[in-house]
Amino acid sequence: MRSTTFISDPSFVASIRGGGKLSADEALAVYSRGYVARLTEALGETFEACWRVLGDERFFAAAAEYIRRNPSRSANLSDYGDNFLRCQAFESFEFPFLGDLATYEWEFKELFHVAPHRGLDAATLSARAKPDSRFRFGSAHRLLCFQHRVYPIWKRDRNDDSPLDPGQWQGPEHLLIYKKEGNSIFVRELSAAEFATLNSLRDGRTLADALESAPGMDAEAAQSLFGFIADSGLITDVS
């Protein structure tokens, strides 16, 4: 049977000629299988933690359904899978965190391909920052808020096949993924107050407003967060 996943032009199909001992149908079948295999491999590379959680059989079944419904529209395989987290097959599994985990893995992959920005050094940022200052963030970061805790699951050893317990994923999670000093990617787990402050700063609110509007952000927590901001290189300009 010819696959309709990657062939949509009947005139193109009619122009295919077999090679060697292969008929046209056989040649198309070889290409079709290779096409699905390459897209499955691309999904596996991006969503490796989801693959580990589901196991081979269920992950490949989810991938097959997704590929059938979502043909590749880019020459770059790393672009494939942007809405894999909404794959209908995920809804049949017992892991409610899969969508969040897939989102984390996609954002991590996207950040990997972002060029690192040149942030202000700690001394310059400290000297220029005032209560009414507004910070400009560089592009090499992601702020993520999830309903489930997925970072510990993502960090699990690849050889750890012990069963997952609901206690490992229950509860909200706030994360900052960022680049510093080249292409190295760092992850910081944030409190709700830290996340709210960074989000406000990124939205253009002043330093004083961002700190005052974040519930639970006391003076000690604010000092700790500012120290991290200064050291992380997140900020490219202060106005």
Side-chain angles (χ1 to χ4, degrees):
M1 179 182 298
R2 289 177 177 172
S3 168
T4 57
T5 303
F6 68 96
I7 296 174
S8 58
D9 185 348
S11 63
F12 171 74
V13 175
S15 70
I16 296 297
R17 297 291 182 271
K21 296 181 179 180
L22 295 178
S23 66
D25 279 343
E26 290 171 334
L28 285 171
V30 170
Y31 187 84
S32 176
R33 288 192 295 270
Y35 171 88
V36 172
R38 285 191 292 274
L39 292 186
T40 301
E41 182 180 9
L43 291 173
E45 289 179 355
T46 298
F47 303 102
E48 183 180 351
C50 290
W51 184 357
R52 293 202 304 270
V53 168
L54 292 173
D56 290 350
E57 182 176 350
R58 292 192 292 183
F59 181 82
F60 292 150
E65 178 184 323
Y66 178 80
I67 293 168
R68 181 172 61 84
R69 295 174 179 269
N70 300 271
S72 176
R73 303 188 184 282
S74 170
N76 187 347
L77 279 178
S78 69
D79 293 337
Y80 189 67
D82 59 328
N83 61 345
F84 186 56
L85 58 103
R86 293 188 291 275
C87 179
Q88 291 184 359
F90 279 5
E91 299 176 3
S92 66
F93 300 135
E94 69 272 25
F95 304 111
F97 61 83
L98 277 174
D100 286 343
L101 181 59
T103 299
Y104 174 87
E105 294 198 276
W106 179 263
E107 293 296 341
F108 190 95
K109 184 270 300 181
E110 289 285 277
L111 183 61
F112 181 83
H113 295 290
V114 172
H117 60 255
R118 184 179 182 86
L120 297 177
D121 61 77
T124 301
L125 179 60
S126 297
R128 295 177 59 182
K130 302 293 186 292
D132 62 348
S133 295
R134 288 180 168 83
F135 293 168
R136 179 178 296 171
F137 283 63
S139 60
H141 80 282
R142 296 290 187 274
L143 267 176
L144 304 174
C145 179
F146 296 126
Q147 293 182 337
H148 307 93
R149 298 177 63 248
V150 296
Y151 183 51
I153 296 172
W154 181 79
K155 289 195 304 180
R156 274 168 58 109
D157 188 279
R158 295 184 180 185
N159 297 318
D160 184 356
D161 58 358
S162 59
L164 287 168
D165 183 87
Q168 294 176 267
W169 70 73
Q170 288 177 341
E173 183 176 63
H174 305 86
L175 300 173
L176 170 68
I177 316 176
Y178 64 102
K179 281 186 174 180
K180 179 183 177 184
E181 299 174 355
N183 283 315
S184 297
I185 297 179
F186 300 84
V187 181
R188 178 182 172 95
E189 297 180 79
L190 303 170
S191 68
E194 290 174 327
F195 179 86
T197 301
L198 288 175
N199 224 17
S200 294
L201 289 172
R202 196 174 61 169
D203 287 344
R205 300 182 67 173
T206 66
L207 177 59
D209 286 346
L211 292 172
E212 290 172 3
S213 64
M217 180 58 71
D218 57 26
E220 183 178 355
Q223 184 176 9
S224 175
L225 178 60
F226 185 82
F228 163 72
I229 293 173
D231 182 62
S232 65
L234 287 173
I235 308 303
T236 59
D237 196 16
V238 177
S239 59

